Amino acid sequence: HWDFGVDVKILGGGFIDSTLYLMIQRGQEVYLEQLTFTYNTKDFSIEPYRVYMDRKVTLTPTIYSDFTATTQVNLSEPYGTSLTLNDTYGIVTADGLFVEITEADKQRGYTLLNGDYRNKAIIVGQLLNFKGTFSTIYVKQIDERGTHAITQGRLQLRNFWVNYEDSGVFDITVVSEGKPTYSYTMTGKALNTTKINNLALESGVFKVPVHTLNTNCTITFSSPYPTPLSLIGAGWDGMF
């Protein structure tokens, strides 16, 4: 499901072809927004990869400081009003720079990009947290009735892993009863304030330790970043 953020009300909507148009009230402002249901299609030609942000718009900064070597981005330009304080926004440039806009940036009305981005289009959007929970792990048995889970007995999990393809940064979190919560990040390459368009999205296997009973833990994946995330498989090892 989609979570459109805090203090957001859907006033109405409807489809035209493959595009869903929504009338959305955000605080005291009302916007007409759209969701295009297409596969792996860039919304803007300047995107270094398919940028996964909501409310994406482009703007062109014009203020640059030779003294600090930074470009100023006016945060009232993207939507014609101040950015909402309870939501998270980010910037992606055509050369792959990603910067998360801080609460201090929103309060002062601008943010700064390292480098000269005068007269260069950049992408501004609302960051979304892509999150999912894996089902409880059981040993499976195949018989004449088909495949079913063995719920009797004790399954002690040791490790859990996911197979990913053409993906950026994501987290795997293990929540166990009576134990601290652990979160593991598949960094791939450093993302924050680094240029990533020349660094190919990665494919591989990401393994994390679990070390608890299968019924005593919850394993989730999440990514608050604008890079793609494609999980194509998962596995585990343990003692039964």
Side-chain angles (χ1 to χ4, degrees), residues 107-203:
Q107 291 176 357
R108 69 184 181 184
Y110 67 90
T111 191
L112 298 174
L113 300 180
N114 292 323
D116 187 355
Y117 288 92
R118 283 175 299 180
N119 304 316
K120 299 177 182 178
I122 63 174
I123 302 168
V124 180
Q126 183 176 337
L127 297 174
L128 55 92
N129 188 24
F130 178 37
K131 183 177 180 180
T133 301
F134 294 99
S135 59
T136 303
I137 297 171
Y138 290 101
V139 175
K140 299 297 178 64
Q141 184 178 38
I142 301 176
D143 56 25
E144 64 276 3
R145 296 175 298 171
T147 302
H148 57 90
I150 301 176
T151 57
Q152 302 299 318
R154 179 185 178 91
L155 175 57
Q156 184 79 16
L157 296 174
R158 289 186 296 188
N159 300 292
F160 178 82
W161 62 84
V162 294
N163 303 85
Y164 59 92
E165 184 176 61
D166 295 333
S167 297
V169 182
F170 63 89
D171 301 316
I172 299 291
T173 301
V174 180
V175 180
S176 303
E177 295 182 12
K179 295 183 179 181
T181 296
Y182 293 97
S183 185
Y184 306 92
T185 301
M186 200 299 291
T187 55
K189 301 292 190 299
L191 181 67
N192 288 335
T193 66
T194 59
K195 295 181 180 180
I196 59 179
N197 71 310
N198 293 325
L199 306 175
L201 298 174
E202 296 191 349
S203 300

Side-chain angles (χ1 to χ4, degrees), residues 12-85:
F15 274 95
I16 299 179
D17 297 326
S18 60
T19 301
L20 173 62
Y21 293 88
L22 295 173
M23 187 72 70
I24 298 180
Q25 181 175 341
R26 300 179 182 273
Q28 301 301 313
E29 306 287 340
V30 176
Y31 300 87
L32 176 63
E33 302 184 11
Q34 65 182 45
L35 295 170
T36 303
F37 288 80
T38 56
Y39 173 73
N40 201 29
T41 301
K42 294 181 180 180
D43 296 294
F44 302 112
S45 60
I46 65 169
E47 293 185 31
Y49 49 85
R50 173 68 188 275
V51 175
Y52 287 88
M53 294 193 297
D54 281 342
R55 310 181 71 201
K56 286 192 295 186
V57 296
T58 61
L59 60 87
T60 304
T62 58
I63 302 175
Y64 174 74
S65 170
D66 289 313
F67 179 74
T68 61
T70 57
T71 302
Q72 179 175 314
V73 180
N74 187 345
L75 298 180
S76 65
E77 290 185 31
Y79 311 112
T81 185
S82 300
L83 301 184
T84 51
L85 296 180

Side-chain angles (χ1 to χ4, degrees), residues 176-235:
S176 303
E177 295 182 12
K179 295 183 179 181
T181 296
Y182 293 97
S183 185
Y184 306 92
T185 301
M186 200 299 291
T187 55
K189 301 292 190 299
L191 181 67
N192 288 335
T193 66
T194 59
K195 295 181 180 180
I196 59 179
N197 71 310
N198 293 325
L199 306 175
L201 298 174
E202 296 191 349
S203 300
V205 178
F206 184 55
K207 179 183 287 188
V208 302
V210 180
H211 301 302
T212 191
L213 286 175
N214 63 320
T215 54
N216 285 354
C217 66
T218 301
I219 303 174
T220 62
F221 66 89
S222 62
S223 174
Y225 304 104
T227 47
L229 172 57
S230 176
L231 302 182
I232 59 175

